Amino acid sequence: AGRTTEGKAELLGKSQAFDTIFRVESQKISDPWPHGYDKFAVHMTFEMTHIESGSTRSMDEIAVMTIRDGKICSEEFFYSE
């Protein structure tokens, strides 16, 4: 699955919403993999706990970031379920 998030407000809102649902117990983030002049990708692995139920899960995710004017302007995520 892939989903694109654009703009600072959307990026912050997405992170805040995630933090109300899950507690990240551990994470690993790769060094960036550059792609062209305006994109890079990172591989992330998370161990997390669903706050309400207490159930735990692992998730692998690839994030593709697009840069404009020296800032990340959009993120696209590909992840396992």
Side-chain angles (χ1 to χ4, degrees), residues 23-80:
R23 181 178 60 246
V24 175
E25 306 297 346
S26 67
Q27 64 184 12
K28 293 179 186 176
I29 302 174
S30 72
D31 289 335
W33 302 329
H35 181 67
Y37 69 94
D38 67 342
K39 294 184 189 293
F40 68 93
V42 292
H43 174 238
M44 300 180 283
T45 303
F46 299 95
E47 297 293 329
M48 57 190 154
T49 301
H50 185 259
I51 293 170
E52 187 174 306
S53 70
S55 64
T56 59
R57 66 181 278 197
S58 299
M59 185 173 81
D60 279 310
E61 182 172 75
I62 300 292
V64 178
M65 314 294 187
T66 301
I67 301 168
R68 188 179 309 128
D69 299 325
K71 298 179 182 178
I72 296 172
C73 64
S74 71
E75 300 176 312
E76 188 173 7
F77 296 96
F78 301 88
Y79 48 90
S80 64

